[in-house]
Amino acid sequence: MRLTFFLPPLAIILASPFLGAQDGKEEFDPFSDAAAEMLDVSQKFKAPSNYIEPGKIKQLTALAKPSIVTVRQMGRDGESRGTGSGFIVSKEGLIATNLHVIGEGRPIEVELNDGSLHKVVEVRAWDRRYDLAVIRIEAEKEKLKVLPLADSNKAEQGQLIAGFGAPQGLSFSVVAGVISAIRELDEGFVGNETPDYPMLQLAMPIEQGNSGGPVINMDGEVLGVVTLRHRVTENLGFAVLGSDLQRLLDKPNPVPMERWRTIGLLDSRQWTPIMGADWTQRGGVVRAGQLGDGFGGRTLCLSSEEVPEGSYELEVTVRLDDESGAAGLAFASDGGDKHYGFYPSGGQIRLTRFEGPDVYSWAILEQVAVPAYKQGDWNTLKVRVDDETISGWVNDEKIFELEDAGLRGGKVGLCKFRRTEAEFRGFAIAPELGVKSLPSDERARLTESIERFLDKEKVDETIAELSRESEHGRLLLLERASELDRLATRLRQLEGAVYLREIVNEMTMALDRPESEIDLFEVGLQIARIDDPSLDLGYYRSSFARLVVDASQYLEDHALEGSEKVRATALAEFLFQENGFHGSRSEYYHHANSYVNHVLDDREGLPITLSVIFVEMARRLQIEGVYGAPLPGKFMVGLDYEDEGIDSSLFIDVFEGGRIIDRSGAVREIWELLGSAPEKSAFHPADARQIAVRMLRNLVDIEINRKQTPEGAADYLELLIAIEPKAARERFQRALLRMQDDNVIGAKEDLDWLLEHRPPGIDYGRLEVFRGTLAGE
């Protein structure tokens, strides 16, 4: 049966707060006498049986209104820089909202329904994937009316709902609607990423500022949290399920506001923003939002890197969310109004010389349409600055070289104009960038190797044939195009193999040193590189180093004269109570949980990746006796210490907020998890190589057994076997993958190795039969 609404006057009442004041008139108050009269009128209409009773909406509104709050993200100047909605979920001052509403690195203010303002003192829990956050204020419990959470698993398509929030900064509004579907999303929604998990699809108006508000069923219970609206229509939005919010309440990862305000901040040792705006950094990506203070919204972020004397090249990869804005490279900056800018603007590329505060002192030196530029995508910009000339490239295509020596020297960095939000990565400066900076003899040698790989003679032969047989030119060109496609595929394969070999070499060097000197975080970074060639190693190395410095200060303040046990416990408090590191609440087998860079970004991971963070920090802080405990099913951190002359040990369950347990507690934990007690060897310290192998086995298992994509495990297997040649199971898995890829020679090599060395765990009778089929026997 088709669901219909019968709400002539009521719809106007409910929608009016979302529209705001118009033409200087006062906003419509849904609780005024006029509104009540309109409700009475609406009851005189004869309505279908499946409509929302006006009285019911009025009851829900009265129920929910005291619980709805306005959440404001505050700027450096104390002014609001963003507004959203939220609702009270606990008398302890807990408020649910969206993560994008509170942002990172900024103070947060909450306005209750009575108009009182409260500073947020703690971010109790957050989840980047679900765009959820739970914040805490200090307020009298009598002021806090809690909205209960419904069992969102019982939500149904066609279910009647009401939404509440603060659109466009208004203090309170309500709108009726229906759950039109429960689905995962396609593209086309406002937000940085399209979620890949079930959400409530809402047939109701969603406006900016509704984010974080509750979606309530007819019993007054919260089914979901509004988070997205469609880019085209405001009458279609989505809400995160209440069950996903419940997980945050059940397993919080609290961070005090003084530490929350440091998340996402630029490293002041690397960058200096000028002319305002909002510059942040996460995962090696610098982001610029808000208007700058300069004319046209101009703002700069200058690098602390030294500019080479004489000629130099400068490069960055940039992405704009709005091509009507502009963002790119700044150079020859005096730290004020004078500098060059090289950037996309309105789909074209500009080089501008800025010599003052406004447009009258700016000169556009070059503006050109560039087919190589990809609107809305990542684009690499590069300039070369010589004594008398400036040259520019977009995505490796040279677009101009012109004479201009108006400005030289100064600082280099990034620039942004107008309202676009821009992202930057891969910033670099050097006398020469890219492969042309190689010594000529090395460049020639590498080029020769690539030419051999491509079988250049065959390509030349095709071209010669084309010139002799011009009447068949079109067919030959098609053949040539097909051949080039094959060559491009082979080149990509070669590049992938070279990249993987580089990772193998780096990993081997990291592990081939005394155990006490091995950097476990570096080992984890090399594993993370497999799936992310653009991973900014320098950024994550420095971010981890800063975390260690902060931990050192925390230990100095809280455990200066303490024993190893006291210091290790203080480190657990620092990571899990002060900085919000926690075990993954959902998507346990997501790749991000296995990569230490994502663990550092999201403060969320698997037992083994959280243990890697803890153990490496303990090593750098010189806390003796800390090690990785390779318990089956759940990696932990172990600590051997002396207690009044008696050798003792404890275990830190990093997945459960750094919970401290003794050996019997660890045995009980594994028994409850697997149904059997761990072997004694599981309590022996795991060395760095064993930890790396276990991390890679997790990734192999995800691809082969959980995602059912065995080919996705190939690179993990290559690295694993490179560092642990005796890995029998993985050699056999690689042999099967090589067979699947028609690499019979490689498959035979793996099978022959197994038959020669005969490590345990393999049925060699069946293996010999299998090997015989490959030999044609």
Side-chain angles (χ1 to χ4, degrees):
M1 180 179 66
R2 182 179 178 182
L3 184 66
T4 58
F5 291 97
F6 190 75
L7 300 170
L10 179 62
I12 300 174
I13 295 174
L14 297 182
S16 59
F18 287 81
L19 300 176
Q22 297 181 11
D23 299 327
K25 298 178 182 178
E26 293 183 358
E27 295 176 13
F28 191 94
D29 183 359
F31 300 95
S32 65
D33 292 337
E37 291 177 8
M38 293 182 74
L39 285 170
D40 290 338
V41 171
S42 70
Q43 294 173 359
K44 297 177 182 179
F45 288 85
K46 184 177 181 181
S49 59
N50 57 345
Y51 78 107
I52 303 176
E53 298 178 6
K56 186 64 175 178
I57 294 295
K58 191 172 183 178
Q59 292 172 11
L60 289 175
T61 300
L63 174 72
K65 186 175 182 180
S67 303
I68 308 302
V69 307
T70 300
V71 182
R72 297 188 181 94
Q73 187 184 145
M74 311 305 290
R76 291 186 180 91
D77 55 3
E79 297 295 323
S80 173
R81 61 185 293 275
T83 301
S85 306
F87 57 97
I88 299 168
V89 292
S90 166
K91 287 283 189 181
E92 302 303 316
L94 299 184
I95 293 166
T97 185
N98 290 140
L99 180 59
H100 80 260
V101 168
I102 67 171
E104 293 179 345
R106 292 288 183 270
I108 311 163
E109 181 181 82
V110 170
E111 181 179 351
L112 298 183
N113 179 63
D114 63 3
S116 61
L117 300 177
H118 302 265
K119 298 294 184 183
V120 172
V121 297
E122 178 186 66
V123 177
R124 174 60 65 90
W126 83 94
D127 192 296
R128 205 177 303 277
R129 179 168 181 260
Y130 288 94
D131 190 23
L132 288 173
V134 178
I135 54 182
R136 183 170 68 84
I137 62 173
E138 293 179 346
E140 298 175 9
K141 292 185 177 181
E142 294 75 22
K143 287 187 173 183
L144 304 177
K145 182 175 180 182
V146 175
L147 278 179
L149 298 186
D151 182 356
S152 56
N153 293 320
K154 295 181 180 179
E156 296 179 340
Q157 187 176 28
Q159 186 171 351
L160 303 178
I161 53 173
F164 301 85
Q168 308 296 342
L170 302 178
S171 59
F172 180 76
S173 61
V174 56
V175 64
V178 63
I179 297 176
S180 55
I182 302 173
R183 68 169 83 245
E184 294 184 8
L185 306 192
D186 298 320
E187 296 183 356
F189 293 85
V190 175
N192 291 331
E193 296 181 3
T194 301
D196 58 354
Y197 48 84
M199 301 183 75
L200 301 178
Q201 180 176 312
L202 312 174
M204 56 188 283
I206 302 292
E207 298 188 48
Q208 184 177 357
N210 277 129
S211 294
V215 175
I216 295 177
N217 63 19
M218 294 296 106
D219 295 323
E221 301 169 324
V222 177
L223 284 170
V225 183
V226 175
T227 188
L228 289 173
R229 65 179 174 88
H230 200 276
R231 295 183 188 275
V232 177
T233 173
E234 293 181 350
N235 293 318
L236 177 61
F238 281 81
V240 180
L241 295 173
S243 56
D244 296 323
L245 172 61
Q246 186 64 57
R247 277 196 288 268
L248 269 70
L249 297 172
D250 294 341
K251 294 186 65 176
N253 52 309
V255 177
M257 278 308 298
E258 59 266 24
R259 291 201 181 277
W260 181 261
R261 292 177 63 176
T262 67
I263 296 176
L265 291 183
L266 282 176
D267 184 351
S268 59
R269 294 169 296 184
Q270 294 179 324
W271 298 102
T272 302
I274 61 174
M275 301 186 201
D278 179 24
W279 293 87
T280 60
Q281 187 173 20
R282 178 176 180 266
V285 176
V286 175
R287 292 175 173 84
Q290 308 293 314
L291 281 169
D293 297 335
F295 186 85
R298 176 169 53 151
T299 176
L300 273 67
C301 190
L302 299 179
S303 170
S304 60
E305 291 196 41
E306 186 175 345
V307 178
E309 293 184 8
S311 300
Y312 64 88
E313 294 181 351
L314 183 66
E315 183 177 85
V316 75
T317 301
V318 63
R319 179 170 64 183
L320 283 64
D321 79 329
D322 182 354
E323 295 290 341
S324 66
L329 291 166
F331 54 101
S333 170
D334 67 349
D337 289 321
K338 293 184 177 182
H339 63 90
Y340 287 103
F342 179 55
Y343 48 84
S345 177
Q348 295 186 312
I349 306 299
R350 281 185 186 176
L351 175 67
T352 304
R353 186 175 66 240
F354 299 86
E355 296 190 87
D358 54 42
V359 68
Y360 301 107
S361 53
W362 302 354
I364 297 176
L365 304 177
E366 187 70 75
Q367 178 165 304
V368 59
V370 179
Y373 179 76
K374 299 171 288 188
Q375 294 196 28
D377 203 348
W378 290 100
N379 292 274
T380 299
L381 310 177
K382 185 174 76 172
V383 293
R384 178 174 179 82
V385 181
D386 294 307
D387 290 339
E388 300 294 332
T389 63
I390 300 174
S391 306
W393 286 260
V394 175
N395 296 328
D396 295 324
E397 179 180 310
K398 188 172 183 178
I399 61 172
F400 66 76
E401 179 176 343
L402 56 84
E403 293 185 0
D404 187 274
L407 301 174
R408 288 297 183 271
K411 294 285 189 179
V412 299
L414 311 172
C415 60
K416 187 187 84 73
F417 306 83
R418 300 189 284 278
R419 293 187 178 277
T420 187
E421 293 193 1
E423 297 176 295
F424 306 84
R425 69 186 186 195
F427 178 84
I429 181 173
E432 288 187 306
L433 293 170
V435 295
K436 69 178 183 179
S437 63
L438 290 171
S440 57
D441 57 342
E442 184 176 354
R443 178 181 171 87
R445 179 179 59 78
L446 292 175
T447 300
E448 182 182 353
S449 298
I450 293 173
E451 295 293 351
R452 283 201 308 270
F453 178 80
L454 293 178
D455 190 9
K456 187 175 184 296
E457 291 77 12
K458 188 174 181 180
V459 176
D460 291 340
E461 181 181 311
T462 304
I463 296 174
E465 184 177 355
L466 174 62
S467 65
R468 291 194 303 268
E469 302 288 341
S470 58
E471 65 273 18
H472 299 115
R474 182 173 175 275
L475 292 176
L476 286 173
L477 283 172
L478 290 173
E479 290 178 11
R480 172 74 171 123
S482 297
E483 184 172 357
L484 285 175
D485 287 340
R486 290 192 296 271
L487 291 176
T489 299
R490 294 178 66 195
L491 271 177
R492 284 190 289 269
Q493 292 171 345
L494 177 61
E495 189 277 333
V498 170
Y499 178 69
L500 185 59
R501 178 52 54 187
E502 177 187 329
I503 295 174
V504 169
N505 292 339
E506 293 289 336
M507 178 71 89
T508 301
M509 286 191 293
L511 293 172
D512 285 350
R513 57 183 63 196
E515 190 68 25
S516 62
E517 298 177 8
I518 295 177
D519 185 335
L520 267 181
F521 186 75
E522 182 67 25
V523 168
L525 279 181
Q526 294 304 323
I527 292 174
R529 287 182 67 195
I530 293 176
D531 284 339
D532 188 2
S534 64
L535 190 146
D536 191 333
L537 293 173
Y539 169 81
Y540 283 107
R541 287 166 181 157
S542 63
S543 294
F544 187 71
R546 289 196 300 274
L547 186 67
V548 174
V549 170
D550 290 346
S552 178
Q553 184 61 56
Y554 186 86
L555 265 60
E556 185 175 324
D557 295 341
H558 296 81
L560 181 61
E561 304 296 332
S563 63
E564 300 306 295
K565 177 182 178 182
V566 171
R567 297 182 72 218
T569 303
L571 178 57
E573 292 172 355
F574 171 79
L575 283 173
F576 303 108
Q577 297 177 28
E578 290 289 316
N579 282 277
F581 283 85
H582 61 285
S584 180
R585 303 184 188 92
S586 60
E587 288 293 302
Y588 184 90
Y589 296 104
H590 195 286
H591 281 70
N593 289 325
S594 294
Y595 297 149
V596 292
N597 58 310
H598 286 293
V599 175
L600 208 59
D601 285 338
D602 301 333
R603 314 292 173 97
E604 177 178 352
L606 300 178
I608 192 166
T609 44
L610 291 167
S611 294
V612 164
I613 298 290
F614 193 105
V615 172
E616 179 54 28
M617 290 186 70
R619 185 187 74 86
R620 298 191 189 190
L621 294 167
Q622 298 182 342
I623 303 176
E624 301 292 336
V626 174
Y627 61 90
L631 298 170
K634 194 175 194 181
F635 207 93
M636 293 189 188
V637 170
L639 172 67
D640 291 336
Y641 64 99
E642 189 175 280
D643 185 12
E644 298 181 353
I646 301 175
D647 291 338
S648 303
S649 63
L650 60 80
F651 296 88
I652 302 171
D653 189 345
V654 292
F655 195 72
E656 297 294 341
R659 181 167 57 102
I660 308 295
I661 56 179
D662 58 17
R663 182 172 178 133
S664 62
V667 170
R668 183 166 52 254
E669 182 82 13
I670 301 306
W671 180 276
E672 292 175 355
L673 187 66
L674 301 179
S676 60
E679 301 287 339
K680 289 184 178 180
S681 60
F683 293 93
H684 297 164
D687 62 30
R689 193 177 301 270
Q690 291 169 332
I691 291 173
V693 167
R694 184 156 169 171
M695 292 173 72
L696 287 164
R697 280 180 172 154
N698 284 343
L699 290 165
V700 170
D701 176 69
I702 289 172
E703 293 294 338
I704 293 180
N705 297 321
R706 302 189 184 279
K707 293 177 63 178
Q708 300 293 309
T709 54
E711 63 279 1
D715 288 348
Y716 305 133
L717 288 171
E718 291 292 338
L719 182 56
L720 192 156
I721 294 169
I723 64 175
E724 183 50 79
K726 296 181 181 179
R729 182 182 63 180
E730 285 74 26
R731 275 197 180 271
F732 183 67
Q733 287 174 326
R734 187 173 71 173
L736 295 178
L737 286 177
R738 286 176 164 178
M739 280 294 299
Q740 181 178 306
D741 199 33
D742 294 327
N743 182 4
V744 178
I745 295 176
K748 288 179 179 179
E749 289 177 355
D750 280 331
L751 297 176
D752 290 343
W753 188 96
L754 289 169
L755 290 170
E756 178 183 352
H757 294 86
R758 293 187 175 265
I762 300 289
D763 185 337
Y764 286 99
R766 297 180 64 182
L767 189 65
E768 287 172 351
V769 172
F770 180 50
R771 175 64 179 85
T773 61
L774 298 183
E777 300 172 2

